[in-house]
């Protein structure tokens, strides 16, 4: 294979004086040099400043040997044996209620138990998709029996295996819970094996896998199962069908409790704990982050929130490609110099034929001075897109982008190494959506120089590398700034932003937790200033599990631009209990926070802005100093050739844009690959495209807050790609710098009197195309909201309804 160096760090965000560990795996690279570099610009596009990093002199480079470290993906539950082990020599019963999603995949362990002396039991799916029992006896070899009847995909079954060593009789139960399927054939099977095969065992019970030994002192599983499991049971004696059915209920019968290990998967849903019921069971732990807060076999549909009826959410969905922590051994550690300035850095690992950059965001020292400006790196969005496979797995992406995908080496590596985990835009091997993402693994598309694709219009830079356009521009203007991450903001809330006068976002802060959102709102309402220099921001509600550092959770619910959709009844986050999906559906729209919200996406070419009436209001005079009345704003740039592109946001009072917000400029001339976002449509129509629909646009917006603060929003991912044009001497950079200088000025902003909007400047040349309320005049009249008698988008009614409970 092509030589590769891949690595990850123990943290994304570090402070001066802290230590960070780096875990490395090398393929065809016998040794490498490791150094700390400051990332100045991560865009290798030759039309711009170019890729630039500089070594940190205080940290000497070191030469290190390369080695391969394996990733063991796949989730399972590890349930310890009681102190006296499993007393199974008189017989046993293994059972669970399951919802298999890939029964035709081959051998998959549902419930298994092993022993250090060579014995083992597995209740499993056989190669033909039927239920099987496999017994490994240290003296009598391996014995397997199966029903021979394949199970159906995504159907609930009660499955069990009971063995009596005195008679050799095996009872297999494969009972579909759907009555129509249960009536179609046998549900229990009496089979026979040799006598005397049962033995006491002392190993843990595993759900969704079978022990494959250990690696780096961690248990590894094989024969991984895809699907849901609920109500697992191990009984230390053989039982009849009637007992199996009774054991499948929530409570263990009193007469069996002393010989039964049972676990209740509906308890402690926000955690990785597996709670034991009274009897022989011991509490256990989940490995590699399977999905909780999923419907059980008894879900009625009467309640959609698992918090209200946890007993109907007593299942866990396991996947053979789940991954939380790669668990690699540390190859080297780095102490961040105590005097290192806050900024964007990377661990650069350079081999003879391969290299890798592992980003590190250095925040200011806790007791050190603060700059007036802070850049918040949207690391939750980086995680949401981490290792996404759309460019290789979804050929239709070329129709969306209207250009041929150009695969990067990282894309090819990830296509071959699925064990590195996917993004929240990918699906698991069983077709269910990936709702978790972790930073404790190599994330190969979170790298400087990485572009999602390359086309005739230039690079479509995305995420981390695109955000260096902002930090590079700030440095080029001599602006002193600190750097924080989304994880820092979620952890510390409003206190994280309190020292700063100006907060600057990245180009695509799409994923936001409630605590993060509250912090931004508190900042602006307390006199702080916010520069939202991106598009499609504050879109998806995101959770950070308290017990799993470095993880986010996302549920893609009833609307929004999605590559998969959550199952009905599984819209609430397991980690927080919050309703997932779009913030606008939770009554907290992006428009309320930053004045604009997601309107459209298109990935062929970017466009430009035209000034609107609000730009001539005296309140906005500072924004356009040095910018002509009729200038096209941003008809140039490194991302699609313009400042308005990729994903764009629109001002819309009906969706929460403050009524006093100034609409400064709007983009125009988008192509038909730009289509109105799905949540804006109540019904499909052929006119929801860039050349047809006036709602497909990016808006520049400014508004003041009651506490003396202000918000400036560009509504476009591509905006930052235009900052460096002609050495930074352009109207995009000028507008951005004008806003930054005024936002740094301590003079308070004062919202206008609510009695009416400021008058338009007489003779305004843009008056003929001024936006009225949330819509422009066009051949397609806006709908009227009967509740307010004014123009309203489809999501406006959802916004007024507030947060689902």
């Amino acid at each position: 294979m092509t030589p590769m160096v891949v690595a990850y760090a123990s943290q994304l965000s570090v402070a001066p004086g802290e230590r960070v560990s780096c875990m490395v795996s090398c393929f065809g690279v016998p040794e490498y040099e490791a150094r700390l570099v400051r990332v100045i610009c991560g865009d290798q596009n030759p039309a711009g400043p170019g890729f630039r990093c500089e070594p940190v002199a205080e940290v000497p480079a070191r030469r290190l040997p390369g080695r391969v470290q394996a990733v063991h993906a796949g989730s399972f539950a590890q349930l310890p044996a009681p102190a006296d082990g499993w007393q199974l020599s008189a017989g046993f019963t293994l059972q669970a209620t399951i919802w298999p999603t890939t029964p035709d995949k081959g051998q998959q362990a549902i419930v298994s138990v092993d022993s250090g002396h060579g014995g083992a039991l597995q209740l499993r799916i056989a190669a033909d998709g039927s239920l099987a029992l496999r017994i490994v006896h240290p003296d009598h070899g391996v014995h397997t029996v199966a029903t021979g009847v394949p199970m159906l995909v995504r159907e609930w079954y009660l499955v069990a295996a009971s063995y009596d060593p005195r008679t050799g009789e095996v009872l297999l139960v494969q009972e579909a819970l759907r009555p129509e399927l249960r009536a179609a054939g046998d549900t229990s099977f009496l089979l026979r094996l040799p006598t005397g095969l049962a033995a006491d065992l002392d190993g843990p019970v595993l759900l969704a896998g079978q022990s494959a030994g250990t690696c780096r002192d961690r248990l590894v599983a094989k024969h991984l199962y895809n699907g849901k499991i609920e109500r697992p049971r191990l009984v230390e004696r053989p039982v009849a069908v009637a007992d199996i059915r009774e054991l499948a209920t929530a409570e263990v019968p009193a007469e069996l409790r002393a010989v039964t290990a049972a676990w209740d998967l509906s308890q402690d849903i926000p955690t990785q704990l597996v709670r034991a019921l009274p009897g022989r069971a011991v509490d256990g732990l989940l490995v590699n982050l399977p999905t909780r807060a999923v419907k059980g076999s008894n879900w009625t549909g009467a309640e959609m929130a698992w918090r209200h009826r946890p007993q109907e959410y007593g299942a866990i969905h396991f996947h053979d490609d789940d991954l939380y922590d790669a668990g690699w051994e540390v190859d080297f550690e780095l102490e961040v110099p105590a005097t290192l300035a806050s900024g964007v850095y990377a661990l650069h690992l350079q081999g003879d034929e391969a290299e890798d950059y592992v980003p590190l965001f250095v925040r200011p020292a806790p007791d050190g001075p603060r700059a007036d400006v802070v850049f918040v790196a949207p690391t939750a969005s980086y995680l949401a897109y981490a290792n996404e496979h759309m460019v290789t797995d979804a050929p239709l992406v070329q129709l969306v982008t209207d250009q041929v995908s150009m695969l990067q080496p990282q894309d090819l590596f990830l296509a071959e190494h699925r064990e590195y985990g996917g993004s929240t835009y990918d699906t698991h091997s069983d077709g269910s959506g990936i709702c978790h993402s972790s930073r404790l693994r190599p994330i190969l598309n979170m790298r400087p120089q990485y572009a999602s694709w390359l086309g005739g219009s230039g690079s479509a830079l995305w995420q981390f590398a695109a955000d260096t356009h902002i930090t590079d521009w700030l440095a080029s203007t001599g602006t002193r700034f600190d750097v924080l991450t989304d994880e820092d903001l979620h952890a510390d809330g409003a206190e994280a932003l309190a020292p700063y006068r100006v907060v600057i976002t990245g180009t695509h802060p799409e994923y936001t937790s409630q605590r993060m959102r509250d912090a931004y709102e508190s900042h602006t309402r307390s006199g702080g200033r916010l520069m939202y220099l991106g598009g499609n921001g504050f879109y998806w509600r995101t959770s950070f599990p308290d017990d799993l550092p470095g993880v986010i959770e996302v549920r893609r619910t009833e609307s929004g631009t999605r590559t998969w959709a959550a199952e009905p009844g599984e819209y609430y986050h397991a980690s927080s209990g919050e309703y997932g999906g779009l913030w606008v559906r939770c009554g907290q729209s992006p428009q309320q926070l930053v004045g604009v919200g997601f309107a459209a996406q298109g990935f062929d070419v970017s466009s430009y802005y035209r000034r609107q009436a609000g730009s001539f209001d005296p309140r906005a005079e500072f924004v356009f100093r040095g910018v002509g009345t009729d200038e096209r704003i941003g008809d140039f740039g490194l991302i699609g050739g313009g400042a308005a592109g990729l994903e764009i946001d629109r001002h819309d009072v009906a969706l929460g844009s403050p009524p006093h917000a100034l609409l400064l400029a709007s983009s125009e001339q988008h192509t038909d690959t730009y289509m109105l976002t799905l949540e804006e449509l109540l019904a499909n129509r052929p006119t929801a495209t860039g050349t047809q629909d006036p709602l497909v646009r990016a808006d520049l917006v400014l508004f003041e807050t009651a506490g003396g603060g202000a918000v400036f929003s560009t509504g476009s991912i591509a905006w930052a790609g235009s900052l460096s044009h002609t050495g930074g001497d352009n109207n995009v950079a000028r507008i951005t710098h004008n806003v930054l200088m005024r936002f740094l000025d301590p003079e308070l902003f004062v919202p206008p009197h609510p009695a009416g909007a400021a008058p338009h400047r007489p003779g305004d040349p843009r008056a003929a195309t001024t936006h009225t309320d949330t819509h422009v005049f066009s051949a397609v009249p806006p709908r009227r909201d009967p509740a307010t008698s004014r123009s309203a988008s489809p999501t406006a009614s959802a916004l007024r309804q507030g947060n689902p409970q």
Side-chain angles (χ1 to χ4, degrees):
M1 67 175 296
T2 302
M4 289 288 290
V5 178
V6 294
Y8 66 100
S10 53
Q11 297 94 28
L12 274 180
S13 174
V14 294
E18 292 184 350
R19 297 186 70 83
V20 61
S21 301
C22 189
M23 287 61 70
V24 186
S25 186
C26 297
F27 298 85
V29 178
E31 61 178 9
Y32 60 92
E33 188 172 74
R35 60 171 60 85
L36 181 66
V37 299
R38 184 171 191 133
V39 178
I40 301 171
C41 181
D43 186 359
Q44 60 184 326
N45 191 330
F51 173 66
R52 289 174 294 145
C53 285
E54 58 183 26
V56 176
E58 301 95 310
V59 181
R62 66 183 89 174
R63 199 88 183 160
L64 296 163
R67 59 170 172 171
V68 175
Q69 300 206 62
V71 176
H72 298 285
S75 60
F76 56 95
Q78 184 175 350
L79 312 173
D84 58 344
W86 303 113
Q87 307 300 308
L88 307 178
S89 57
F92 61 84
T93 302
L94 300 174
Q95 75 173 72
T97 304
I98 68 170
W99 191 72
T101 52
T102 58
D104 57 350
K105 164 190 159 181
Q107 295 179 357
Q108 301 168 68
I110 301 166
V111 182
S112 69
V113 57
D114 289 78
S115 174
H117 57 69
L121 305 173
Q122 293 116 34
L123 180 67
R124 58 171 21 180
I125 297 177
D128 64 356
S130 67
L131 182 71
L133 171 66
R134 183 174 186 263
I135 301 176
V136 180
H137 193 279
D139 299 322
H140 304 300
V142 179
H143 301 267
T144 303
V145 289
T147 67
V149 179
M151 285 183 272
L152 299 177
V153 175
R154 296 174 181 259
E155 288 288 344
W156 283 105
Y157 289 87
L158 170 60
V159 294
S162 184
Y163 172 70
D164 187 337
R166 297 171 302 165
T167 64
E169 187 175 272
V170 177
L171 169 65
L172 294 181
V173 175
Q174 181 181 314
E175 184 172 284
L177 300 194
R178 188 190 294 266
E180 297 85 353
L181 298 178
R182 192 163 60 245
D186 293 335
T187 61
S188 60
F189 302 80
L190 282 175
L191 304 167
R192 198 164 293 278
L193 285 174
T195 60
L197 296 181
D200 295 342
L201 301 175
D202 57 8
V205 168
L206 298 192
L207 305 182
Q210 172 190 341
S211 176
T214 60
C215 178
R216 299 184 290 270
D217 298 323
R218 301 200 316 175
L219 184 66
V220 175
K222 61 184 179 181
H223 299 312
L224 294 157
Y225 164 83
N226 284 321
K228 297 179 184 179
I229 296 177
E230 71 173 6
R231 297 178 182 169
R233 311 285 191 250
L234 185 158
V235 187
E236 294 173 320
R237 75 181 201 197
V239 299
V241 173
D243 294 317
I244 287 170
R245 289 172 180 158
E246 192 169 3
L247 282 163
T249 62
E251 297 294 328
V252 175
E255 64 273 17
L256 292 175
R257 195 166 297 161
V259 293
T260 299
W263 294 267
D264 183 356
L265 308 188
S266 71
Q267 295 187 40
D268 295 292
I269 285 176
T271 75
Q272 302 309 298
L273 295 173
V274 180
R275 289 297 186 189
L277 292 173
R280 294 282 288 156
V282 178
D283 291 347
L285 290 172
L286 298 174
V287 177
N288 269 339
L289 198 53
T291 305
R292 305 193 78 164
V294 296
K295 298 173 296 186
S297 63
N298 60 341
W299 186 69
T300 63
E303 182 55 63
M304 303 291 280
W306 64 262
R307 294 177 290 112
H308 299 164
R309 287 193 184 179
Q311 67 274 17
E312 294 186 10
Y313 288 83
I316 295 177
H317 194 150
F318 296 90
H319 307 91
D320 61 8
D321 53 3
D322 279 324
L323 181 65
Y324 166 50
D325 185 351
W328 288 355
E329 294 176 344
V330 174
D331 285 87
F332 66 92
E333 288 189 332
L334 169 76
E335 183 172 326
V336 180
T339 57
L340 192 65
S342 179
V344 182
Y345 296 84
L347 296 168
H348 181 208
L349 313 176
Q350 177 69 63
D352 290 339
E353 298 182 70
E355 65 178 350
D356 195 16
Y357 288 87
V358 181
L360 285 178
F361 300 92
V362 176
R363 59 186 185 272
D367 55 352
R370 297 292 196 273
D372 288 330
V373 178
V374 65
F375 171 75
V376 180
T379 52
S381 294
Y382 300 166
L383 288 187
Y385 287 89
N387 291 351
E388 59 96 349
H389 294 78
M390 285 189 288
V391 70
T392 52
D393 289 2
L396 289 177
V397 75
Q398 296 185 101
L399 298 179
V400 176
T401 62
D402 198 29
Q403 50 190 307
V404 175
S405 299
M406 303 290 286
L407 299 180
Q408 310 297 302
Q410 296 96 326
D411 301 320
L412 298 174
F413 181 88
L414 290 172
E416 295 175 0
H417 291 271
R418 300 287 170 155
E419 70 272 19
Y420 281 64
S423 75
T424 65
Y425 287 80
D426 296 316
T427 54
H428 289 289
S429 64
D430 69 353
S432 59
I434 297 178
C435 65
H436 297 108
S437 183
S438 167
R439 58 170 168 76
L440 295 176
R441 55 178 172 144
I443 300 176
L444 302 188
N445 59 352
M446 188 179 69
R447 298 294 190 255
Q449 304 186 79
Y450 180 85
S452 296
W453 61 89
L454 299 173
S457 60
S459 67
L461 216 60
W462 199 254
Q463 301 292 320
F464 172 68
D467 287 336
T468 66
H469 285 153
I470 297 175
T471 54
D472 182 30
W473 176 79
L474 286 170
S476 72
T477 62
T479 303
R480 182 170 168 264
F481 65 97
D482 291 338
V483 172
L484 297 174
T485 67
D486 283 348
E487 197 169 344
D488 298 323
L489 187 55
H490 176 81
D492 297 333
E495 291 183 7
L497 303 182
Y500 301 102
R501 181 163 292 148
V502 182
V503 174
I504 298 177
T505 74
T507 59
H508 195 193
E510 184 178 2
Y511 291 82
T512 312
S513 72
Q514 183 72 63
R515 190 169 170 85
M516 290 166 57
R517 185 187 170 88
D518 290 347
Y520 284 119
E521 190 169 67
S522 174
H523 173 74
T524 58
R525 290 186 173 179
S526 301
R529 290 82 194 265
L530 175 61
M531 296 178 69
Y532 167 39
L533 301 185
N536 187 215
F538 315 101
Y539 189 64
W540 290 105
R541 189 175 212 160
T542 308
S543 297
F544 290 80
D546 292 335
D547 61 338
L548 293 171
V551 169
I552 63 166
E553 179 182 6
V554 177
R555 299 285 172 121
R556 303 199 185 278
T557 60
E558 298 170 82
S559 189
T561 301
R562 302 158 293 169
T563 52
W564 56 269
E567 290 277 337
E570 299 179 4
Y571 296 159
Y572 285 77
H573 290 202
S575 54
S576 65
E578 297 169 311
Y579 180 75
L582 302 184
W583 274 111
V584 69
R585 298 292 191 189
C586 299
Q588 301 181 68
S589 69
Q591 290 87 345
Q592 292 173 329
L593 183 66
V594 292
V596 295
F598 189 35
Q601 65 180 23
F603 301 96
D604 54 350
V605 295
S606 300
S607 190
Y608 59 88
Y609 297 79
R610 184 82 70 177
R611 288 180 68 172
Q612 300 297 323
S615 70
F616 301 100
D617 188 295
R619 293 156 52 205
E621 182 272 335
F622 69 91
V623 178
F624 292 93
R625 289 173 189 160
V627 178
T629 298
D630 291 316
E631 281 189 47
R632 290 183 174 183
I633 299 168
D635 58 348
F636 48 81
L638 299 174
I639 299 177
L646 294 193
E647 293 180 347
I648 55 177
D649 297 357
R650 187 185 74 248
H651 168 274
D652 196 325
V653 173
L655 289 174
S657 297
H660 68 285
L662 292 173
L663 179 56
L664 306 176
S666 298
S667 66
E668 56 188 33
Q669 300 297 317
H670 289 288
T671 69
D672 284 336
T673 66
Y674 284 78
M675 291 181 276
L676 196 63
T677 188
L678 296 175
E679 62 270 19
E680 299 281 351
L681 296 172
L682 294 178
N684 287 330
R685 54 182 171 85
T687 56
T689 62
T691 64
Q692 301 290 317
D693 197 326
L695 301 183
V696 176
R697 66 175 195 269
D699 287 335
L700 242 60
V701 167
L702 172 73
F703 65 91
E704 307 88 347
T705 66
V711 176
F712 171 75
S713 297
T714 64
S716 167
I717 289 178
W719 177 269
S722 301
L723 290 169
S724 65
H725 184 69
T726 61
D729 184 13
N730 62 77
N731 52 26
V732 169
R734 194 167 300 120
I735 288 170
T736 310
H737 190 260
N738 288 344
V739 172
L740 177 60
M741 290 300 99
R742 174 60 184 92
F743 277 21
L744 283 169
D745 188 331
E747 180 183 354
L748 298 180
F749 284 87
V750 180
H753 193 278
H760 293 158
R761 192 178 85 162
D764 171 15
R766 298 272 68 81
T769 57
T770 295
H771 296 292
T772 300
D773 194 14
T774 61
H775 301 271
V776 296
F777 292 111
S778 71
V780 182
R783 290 188 319 285
R784 310 301 291 182
D785 180 357
T788 61
S789 296
R790 62 181 175 83
S791 301
S793 299
T795 43
S797 59
L799 177 65
R800 287 191 293 274
Q801 291 169 4
N803 186 18
Q805 295 299 315

